[in-house]
Amino acid sequence: MSIGSTHNPLRVAIIGSGPAGFYTLSHLLKAKDLAIRVDMFERLPTPFGLVRAGVAPDHQKDKSVTLAFDKHAEASCFRFFGNVEYGTDLTLAELTRAYHQIVFTTGAPHDRRLGVPGEDAHGSYSATEFVAWYNGHPDYAQATFDLNSERAVVVGMGNVALDVARMLTTPIEQLRRTDMADHALEALAESKVREVVMLGRRGALQAAFTPAELKELTELAGVGLRVNPQEVTLNGEEARALPFADKPALKNLALLEAIAADDAPPSARSIELRFRVSPVVINTDAQGVCGIELAHNQLQVDADGWVSVQSTDVREPLTTGLVFKSVGYRGKPVDGLPFDEKTGTVANLDGRVIDASGEHHTGLYVSGWVKRGAQGVIGTNKTDAKATVACMLEDLTAGRMLSAAEGAAVNIDNELRDKQLHVVDFPAWRWLDQLEIERGQAQSRPRVKFTEVAAMLAALQARSG
Ligand code: NAP
């Protein structure tokens, strides 16, 4: 009986339940004339990865993509195994015995290093950890951030840097209407931060954030935006990059020029965007971070329009007790798979996991940030997953698959229960989801999140008596 027929469905395991995992599921469900069974494994009891723990609490619209994911999860051929960690609770050997194809969608959970002295001092934090903390990710529920500095510095000019700057300056009454974790609301209510300085190592045209997010910043009530006109004026060399600039970059430049030209009166809270500056040292004293030494940069544009940075001898001190490094996420190695340290991704060709000689590891695939690195918005994962699923279907047609033992996948839940794991299935998650929403309704908020795994499991146990 051919694999993919009603009597012998294609058995697929997806590791990770963020947008990449759910878009992979959605493309598999769309495949024509294919009988399929898909099991998704997730380390946390809750699904949706960065949609839940990365998207800013004041961006609820972006989170509505989960409504479509919920629909996919209703497919009778789909099962969700939450609270099951790949590599610990479930090994590659167990999976390869049970499935024809395995797709890893484990994302890029680490942060990139800045590589300057002082970056690990008290008061210098990773923006990715700050984001996970204020979004209630259980791994960071116990983290602490010392917000006792009037000025905070955010290194980086991406969307995460903008999110962090916005969360640090948005009035607490506004944040209290979101699903920001309660521990973060408490800490931000006591925060002394009044001014955020964002540092871009390249120019205004090279800012990594998207225009919509920058525009949103200009509309933030009670927060003044500042840009030094000189820093957004394209000098002779920089202007050579202009013909290569795409639409979003030109929009960003126009917005930044408008902010620079605006003579707005000073406000109680402010965000300043600086360009062509890099931290060279984070200075510390007995209390922790006490300042940053900045180098002014010169930009160089090559024949393809790529803009690189060269540090000059000009130095500038900046007093601050609080630094957030927001220079991008980085993938972490996945148990049993070849990892490319340079790109921070699993070695792959269009989503097929490959070995050092470029040969495909039969049956193994990747999708999302673990495949292409931490770039793009949520929707980027849709096209990315489509490409991976196309490879999977091509390999199915060619008969290139793992030789899963017939029926084994059906029993993987028993195997997990034999290991005494508290597996959280999709109906159980939906019950938790509803509970969070109800807790939120009482406070006119979208939801009040569970931030600890033990509390989630205890609530589920109490429900089943
Ligand atoms: P990102 O977009 O890659 O931005 C990283 C920033 O850090 C860039 O400005 C980069 O400058 C800078 N940087 C890197 N290394 C540096 C160094 N050594 N010194 C100084 N600056 C350095 O990363 P991200 O902000 O973490 O976002 C990750 C992805 O998630 C992005 O695709 C983003 O669009 C997406 N995201 C989207 C939203 C949204 O849609 N609202 C929200 C959050 C995140 P260079 O350009 O010079 O390298």
Side-chain angles (χ1 to χ4, degrees), residues 436-456:
E436 287 188 344
I437 292 170
E438 280 165 18
R439 298 191 323 179
Q441 274 161 355
Q443 300 176 26
S444 304
R445 298 168 62 188
R447 67 176 64 233
V448 173
K449 283 180 180 175
F450 282 97
T451 59
E452 292 191 354
V453 170
M456 297 180 203

Side-chain angles (χ1 to χ4, degrees), residues 54 59 62 112-114 128 155-161 163 199-202 206-210 213 277-279 306 309 326-329 369 374-378:
H59 280 180
D62 295 344
R112 284 199 209 129
R113 301 276 301 165
L114 200 51
T128 59
V155 185
M157 276 291 166
N159 279 327
V160 170
D163 282 348
L199 305 178
R201 63 176 168 181
R202 299 193 288 166
Q206 289 79 47
F209 47 64
T210 36
E213 271 60 34
V277 285
S278 291
W306 175 253
V309 169
S326 184
V327 295
Y329 287 84
W369 280 6
Q375 346 144 352
V377 292
I378 294 171

Side-chain angles (χ1 to χ4, degrees), residues 111-130:
D111 59 308
R112 284 199 209 129
R113 301 276 301 165
L114 200 51
V116 303
E119 74 172 298
D120 296 317
H122 177 82
S124 169
Y125 305 108
S126 135
T128 59
E129 289 180 10
F130 186 60

